[in-house]
Amino acid sequence: MYDMAILWDWIAFSVRWLHVITAMAWIGASFYFIALDLMLKPAKHLPEGAFGEEWEVHGGGFYHTVKYLVAPSEMPEHLTWHKWQSYTTWLSGAALLMIVYWVGGELFLLDPTKADLTLFQGILISGGSLTIGWLAYDFMCKSKLSEQPTLLMLLLFAILVVMSWGYNQIFTGRAALLHLGAFTATIMTANVFFQIMPNQRIVVDDLKNGRTPDAKYGKIAKVRSTHNNYLTLPVVFLMLSNHYPLAFATEYAWIIASLIFLTGVTIRHYFNTMHRTGKGPLWTWLITALLMVTIAWLSTAQSGETYEESEARELTAYEQKFASAEGFEDAYYAVTGNCSMCHAREPSWEGLHWAPKGVVLETEADVARHAEQIYLQAGRTHAMPPPNAIEMDQESRNLIVAWIKEVRQGG
């Protein structure tokens, strides 16, 4: 039978690839339409009900776009809807969250040094928490706060800071930042599904039935779309953060994630202003630079389980399954002998200050916790250790494979 661990990894890769493709399509369309909206210019020859026009050149041709503030006088024959990019991005992201952080929750989701949770409890918190942001945000948007957009955005930012802190109290660092990204992305997709699209359907239905559409529906959709525009960049950062231990492997990860939202606002404000006026405010880059310097400073405060704490604590049930299997001792020495120079709390490899991706492989708990990844990276493939670091002999790799086979046969 084909190795299930390899098959599962390829499934995760395929879903991730789908997620990346659809996210690029969604983000690209979102950025384009916001820029287009801001660049519209009034003109005398525009048809009745039109707000502005924009001429563009691309790919060897000219494009003439006209925007109607509410709707044209009659339903156009061809109408393109932009919604599936958003839906597919969220659905593929949700599937990837389940594959990586639910099925692989013992490693990637739960942190036994932070909270004593069962995997089922962790999954309930993971899934249930994603809806909280949308419910609170949607309530604020429908309240009188909608008349005070700045205050509304500040309150949304406060919710994001609280959630960032909360996630970091119970989940691993990488899971905490990823969940904050999923929390925000859920708000964005819910905006499309529950507000933007329904309001646009009302306008289309009015056109089809010969009624004059109400301008309020377009305004609601525009506000939600603008909010999504400012949330996009932080979400992209959070989704990529698991590649950078400096972002998630620190006690201040929740503050770093919060500050990233502010950089998203400053960067988008620059480009939005540039699209609208032709010149962006340079002060936004100064603020962005200062925020990034602060983030870099906070990132050096590393946290996590110390060597002594890892040695002293009782193994979790998941770790015990691998540590008690026949062949663990041989595999453990194979891993520490070939990998610990880099994957240590204080790496001895010259120029390396933190373990790659925050993965430490020193104690028995460390090795048992990362067993499946060790098996794929060093047992079944030669991905680790890098050939320019150390040449791991085949016998050591065979010991790792034999150990994992014993675990599976014993299970």
Side-chain angles (χ1 to χ4, degrees):
M1 180 181 290
Y2 193 69
D3 196 313
M4 194 55 202
I6 296 175
L7 177 60
W8 192 250
D9 217 47
W10 274 111
I11 291 173
F13 176 84
S14 301
V15 175
R16 189 185 303 276
W17 186 223
L18 172 64
H19 186 55
V20 169
I21 292 171
T22 54
M24 287 192 295
W26 184 19
I27 293 169
S30 172
F31 281 5
Y32 172 74
F33 279 106
I34 287 291
L36 177 64
D37 201 56
L38 293 170
M39 291 188 293
L40 292 168
K41 304 293 188 299
K44 295 180 180 179
H45 62 273
L46 293 177
E48 184 181 354
F51 168 72
E53 67 174 4
E54 175 65 12
W55 283 89
E56 299 176 272
V57 59
H58 180 75
F62 290 85
Y63 296 81
H64 183 210
T65 304
V66 176
K67 177 182 178 179
Y68 290 83
L69 194 58
V70 180
S73 57
E74 58 184 29
M75 183 69 183
E77 183 178 349
H78 300 289
L79 184 64
T80 301
W81 293 80
H82 292 270
K83 57 182 179 179
W84 294 112
Q85 302 101 313
S86 171
Y87 300 162
T88 312
T89 298
W90 191 88
L91 289 171
S92 59
L96 191 60
L97 177 73
M98 296 174 189
I99 291 171
V100 177
Y101 290 93
W102 291 9
V103 177
E106 297 282 5
L107 171 60
F108 295 118
L109 181 66
L110 303 181
D111 186 340
T113 67
K114 291 181 179 179
D116 184 19
L117 296 172
T118 65
L119 180 56
F120 181 69
Q121 290 172 328
I123 290 173
L124 283 180
I125 295 172
S126 168
S129 65
L130 299 184
T131 64
I132 296 174
W134 161 250
L135 294 174
Y137 163 80
D138 189 53
F139 173 79
M140 292 189 299
C141 285
K142 292 176 179 177
S143 71
K144 291 183 178 180
L145 285 170
S146 61
E147 300 171 6
Q148 303 180 61
T150 302
L151 178 58
L152 175 60
M153 290 303 290
L154 287 174
L155 289 174
L156 175 59
F157 176 67
I159 291 174
L160 292 169
V161 172
V162 171
M163 290 305 299
S164 180
W165 177 84
Y167 280 135
N168 272 273
Q169 301 310 302
I170 55 177
F171 292 155
T172 64
R174 60 179 290 177
L177 266 63
L178 188 284
H179 275 74
L180 185 64
F183 178 90
T184 310
T186 299
I187 292 176
M188 295 170 65
T189 297
N191 268 338
V192 176
F193 187 80
F194 291 111
Q195 290 297 322
I196 296 174
M197 293 308 301
N199 284 311
Q200 289 180 339
R201 289 192 188 98
I202 292 173
V203 173
V204 169
D205 187 62
D206 285 340
L207 285 174
K208 288 181 177 179
N209 291 282
R211 297 188 296 266
T212 301
D214 193 326
K216 72 176 183 180
Y217 298 112
K219 290 179 180 179
I220 293 172
K222 180 66 170 64
V223 168
R224 300 296 182 111
S225 181
T226 301
H227 289 173
N228 281 2
N229 179 251
Y230 280 98
L231 293 173
T232 298
L233 292 180
V235 170
V236 172
F237 176 93
L238 293 170
M239 293 308 178
L240 295 175
S241 64
N242 65 84
H243 296 287
Y244 300 97
L246 284 174
F248 68 76
T250 164
E251 61 182 301
Y252 300 120
W254 68 276
I255 301 179
I256 290 175
S258 302
L259 293 180
I260 282 298
F261 278 93
L262 298 182
T263 66
V265 171
T266 55
I267 293 172
R268 287 312 305 164
H269 181 67
Y270 174 85
F271 284 104
N272 289 344
T273 304
M274 184 178 68
H275 293 317
R276 185 175 62 250
T277 65
K279 185 178 181 180
L282 295 178
W283 59 264
T284 57
W285 291 109
L286 175 61
I287 292 179
T288 303
L290 290 174
L291 287 170
M292 291 306 296
V293 168
T294 304
I295 288 170
W297 176 67
L298 289 171
S299 72
T300 60
Q302 297 297 300
S303 63
E305 192 176 51
T306 66
Y307 182 91
E308 290 74 19
E309 289 171 340
S310 180
E311 280 274 88
R313 74 168 172 82
E314 184 178 347
L315 298 183
T316 65
Y318 176 79
E319 293 165 346
Q320 187 62 42
K321 179 178 70 171
F322 291 97
S324 61
E326 185 178 343
F328 172 71
E329 185 176 354
D330 291 335
Y332 170 73
Y333 287 118
V335 171
T336 54
N338 288 278
C339 308
S340 292
M341 64 177 66
C342 296
H343 289 280
R345 288 161 178 83
E346 295 182 8
S348 58
W349 187 265
E350 185 177 356
L352 197 64
H353 302 291
W354 293 278
K357 291 198 172 184
V359 176
V360 291
L361 301 172
E362 294 182 297
T363 69
E364 291 188 356
D366 295 336
V367 174
R369 183 173 177 80
H370 293 91
E372 292 284 358
Q373 292 301 304
I374 293 169
Y375 170 68
L376 289 173
Q377 299 287 331
R380 295 292 301 188
T381 72
H382 289 203
M384 289 291 166
N388 61 333
I390 187 172
E391 188 175 347
M392 187 176 188
D393 60 72
Q394 189 58 46
E395 182 180 354
S396 296
R397 298 184 190 277
N398 291 341
L399 290 172
I400 294 171
V401 173
W403 162 48
I404 299 300
K405 284 185 176 180
E406 283 294 327
V407 173
R408 291 175 181 168
Q409 290 173 1

